[in-house]
Amino acid sequence: ILNSKVPVAAFVTPSGGRAASAGFFLLQSADVAAMAPGTRTGAAHPVMLAGQADDTLMKKVANDAAASLRAVVERRGRNIEAAEKAVIESKSYTDQESLKSRLIDLIAKDETDLFRQLDGRVVKRFDGAEQKLALAGAQLKVYTPSLRQRAQKSMSDPNLALAMVLLGALGLYLEFTSPGLIVPGVAGGILLLLGLSALAVIPLNWSGVALLLLGLALFALELKIVSHGILSAGGGVAMVLGAMLLVDSPLPEVRIKLSSAIALVLPFGLITLGLISLALKARLAPPQTGRESFQGDVARALTPLNPEGQVLYKGEMWQARANTEVEAGSEVRIVGVEGLLLKVEPGGEQHDRR
């Protein structure tokens, strides 16, 4: 703004809007500072985005920011004392107070009114040169953020970043447990990388990271240890606490909210438990192929078994041995396999092998 080749007007609009913190610095840097009715500015005391700073450091930062702003405000011919109070004391000003305190040059209802008031006005540039504005018939061109910029802004939200990490982890877990699905693995990998890249620019609290990892580990242990849900409950609590502590910043708007943490962790936990349940069922299920799958099935004796003979099993003749005498035509149940010999016992009731 200070080195712009054309005059710059900063306009705080619409009514109800504000130019606080860094916005106040931008407003004071412009060749023309204007506000709409019902807007406010100021509250420009520096804050630490990450961690905590001692009083001495914060005082140094505030004094440095105030000195930087004084240099600009003095060149713009505005009220140095009022501007300094916005930094040192976090003082805020309404549009009328700003105009009265000479922090801004004018109040305009909208862009059209702003152009009307600026037309023919002589402004003093930062280098001391004067320039007359000719804005009669000027066309207003609105610049909106590009799709890429909007996406980057959305991904900088720690709530969304954490959601992408959790969804990515679920997708990869599903792909590893059920190879060949492809879509969950590809989508999970993309989401995980996007989430990690977003978290990389956010100040992290490693205690929060450790709690999140602990929560994931407790969910995984549910596969190995029968805890009747205790491990899963502990994992959910650890992940909620980890999400709330994940961002190391004193600013509430930067941290992950409790409602967001619960909304993210609860579905993640339920889906993970569902996947773990399916994995356990698959692990505990009896073999469905190979000779181990014969166990419990029913065959029919083609010849008397005393103790050996032949049986018919799934359309094939097998040599069989019974632990007691079995008449031809009787049903037998397979209890084991030894090479090409079926071990059977009387009785045709088939066991449920699910």
Side-chain angles (χ1 to χ4, degrees):
I1 294 176
L2 300 180
N3 297 320
S4 174
K5 296 181 180 180
V6 296
V8 176
F11 184 33
V12 185
T13 188
S15 297
R18 62 172 182 162
S21 195
F24 181 71
F25 280 78
L26 294 176
L27 182 66
Q28 295 304 310
S29 299
D31 297 286
V32 177
M35 297 175 67
T39 56
R40 61 195 187 279
T41 188
H45 193 284
V47 294
M48 301 296 291
L49 290 179
Q52 299 292 333
D54 56 38
D55 293 340
T56 302
L57 177 59
M58 288 305 302
K59 187 175 181 180
K60 290 173 63 177
V61 173
N63 287 337
D64 181 68
S68 175
L69 185 61
R70 281 199 307 270
V72 174
V73 171
E74 185 177 11
R75 296 287 294 179
R76 295 301 190 194
R78 301 190 181 115
N79 191 330
I80 297 176
E81 183 180 354
E84 195 171 32
K85 285 183 178 181
V87 177
I88 302 300
E89 302 176 12
S90 294
K91 185 174 177 60
S92 295
Y93 301 91
T94 65
D95 56 300
Q96 293 293 339
E97 291 171 342
S98 298
L99 184 62
K100 185 177 180 180
S101 301
R102 293 187 298 107
L103 287 173
I104 61 174
D105 304 302
L106 55 93
I107 296 176
K109 297 178 181 179
D110 50 29
E111 288 84 352
T112 302
D113 186 30
L114 177 65
F115 286 176
R116 181 186 61 79
Q117 295 189 52
L118 291 181
D119 185 36
R121 187 186 186 102
V122 177
V123 297
K124 186 177 181 180
R125 304 302 310 282
F126 193 74
D127 59 4
E130 293 186 349
Q131 186 171 349
K132 185 177 181 180
L133 303 179
L135 299 177
Q139 297 294 320
L140 178 64
K141 185 175 182 180
V142 179
Y143 290 89
T144 58
S146 64
L147 178 61
R148 177 184 176 184
Q149 291 171 329
R150 293 197 298 270
Q152 288 177 332
K153 181 180 179 181
S154 298
M155 287 191 297
S156 64
D157 182 354
N159 298 279
L160 181 59
L162 180 60
M164 289 191 292
V165 169
L166 294 180
L167 289 175
L170 274 178
L172 291 178
Y173 176 81
L174 187 59
E175 181 66 32
F176 289 144
T177 54
S178 303
L181 294 178
I182 300 177
V183 174
V186 173
I190 293 174
L191 287 173
L192 185 61
L193 290 176
L194 287 175
L196 291 176
S197 65
L199 290 176
V201 298
I202 297 174
L204 297 180
N205 182 341
W206 292 107
S207 297
V209 175
L211 282 169
L212 285 175
L213 294 177
L214 174 63
L216 292 173
L218 291 176
F219 276 115
L221 284 175
E222 193 74 48
L223 274 170
K224 303 290 185 180
I225 303 173
V226 180
S227 67
H228 305 289
I230 296 177
L231 288 175
S232 299
V237 172
M239 291 188 70
V240 169
L241 294 175
M244 294 178 62
L245 296 175
L246 183 62
V247 180
D248 184 16
S249 173
L251 301 178
E253 57 269 22
V254 178
R255 297 197 297 265
I256 296 176
K257 302 175 183 177
L258 174 61
S259 57
S260 299
I262 295 175
L264 290 173
V265 172
L266 185 59
F268 175 83
L270 293 176
I271 295 173
T272 303
L273 285 177
L275 294 175
I276 290 175
S277 176
L278 293 176
L280 285 174
K281 287 182 179 179
R283 179 183 298 179
L284 298 176
Q288 300 298 317
T289 60
R291 295 186 177 183
E292 292 82 0
S293 65
F294 293 3
Q295 187 116 359
D297 283 355
V298 174
R300 184 177 298 278
L302 294 177
T303 65
L305 304 181
N306 189 22
E308 292 189 7
Q310 290 184 332
V311 298
L312 183 67
Y313 173 59
K314 292 186 177 180
E316 298 177 344
M317 288 190 299
W318 286 77
Q319 194 70 17
R321 179 190 299 137
N323 55 2
T324 184
E325 186 175 348
V326 178
E327 296 181 358
S330 300
E331 290 186 339
V332 293
R333 186 173 65 251
I334 300 172
V335 295
V337 182
E338 289 183 358
L340 297 177
L341 180 71
L342 299 181
K343 298 174 66 176
V344 299
E345 62 181 20
E349 183 180 351
Q350 186 169 358
H351 285 181
D352 186 359
R353 300 187 293 112
R354 289 178 297 175

